[in-house]
Amino acid sequence: QVQLMESGGGSVQAGGSLRLSCTASRGSISVYTMAWYRQTPGNQRALVAKITPGSRITYTDSVKGRFTISRDNAKNTVYLQMNSLKPDDTAVYYCNCGFGAIEYWGQGTQVTVSS
């Protein structure tokens, strides 16, 4: 069973940057679609970005041009570079890996953007 551990969250002022990392253990991410989701209180988790094993990338509209997802299969890690952060980006960010009906989640990391 793949275990995912996120890091890199924190507090930043609007316009700042953060880079989230998600490292997998007990398995290789190379066959999985890797994704970042975020969740705010009272809301469902929403997709932020995903990257397939072939590096096809999808972003939700609100982060296009500001966020960049990437993967390093050799390091078993997926990244989310977040630039030009806005207060609306404040959320708990979760790493996800999926293969068909199988998926795993990390424990989440808090990102807080102040105005």
Side-chain angles (χ1 to χ4, degrees):
Q1 177 173 338
V2 175
Q3 293 185 338
L4 302 174
M5 179 65 69
E6 301 101 334
S7 61
S11 297
V12 65
Q13 289 190 328
S17 298
L18 286 172
R19 188 175 83 153
L20 305 183
S21 300
C22 171
T23 300
S25 59
R26 297 188 180 183
S28 170
I29 69 168
S30 62
V31 299
Y32 291 95
T33 291
M34 303 299 297
W36 289 95
Y37 286 72
R38 62 189 180 187
Q39 187 173 24
T40 54
N43 294 303
Q44 292 184 332
R45 290 182 191 181
L47 178 68
V48 176
K50 66 179 179 181
I51 181 168
T52 68
S55 294
R56 186 173 68 213
I57 292 172
T58 303
Y59 296 103
T60 191
D61 285 346
S62 62
V63 308
K64 287 180 180 177
R66 300 188 298 122
F67 290 12
T68 303
I69 189 171
S70 61
R71 64 192 297 158
D72 186 336
N73 290 339
K75 294 183 178 180
N76 241 15
T77 299
V78 63
Y79 304 96
L80 186 68
Q81 177 67 43
M82 305 186 293
N83 298 327
S84 302
L85 283 160
K86 304 175 181 180
D88 284 350
D89 296 317
T90 295
V92 178
Y93 284 71
Y94 294 91
C95 179
N96 170 279
C97 72
F99 183 81
I102 300 171
E103 65 175 357
Y104 303 100
W105 291 93
Q107 83 291 347
T109 186
Q110 176 71 45
V111 171
T112 302
V113 184
S114 58
S115 57

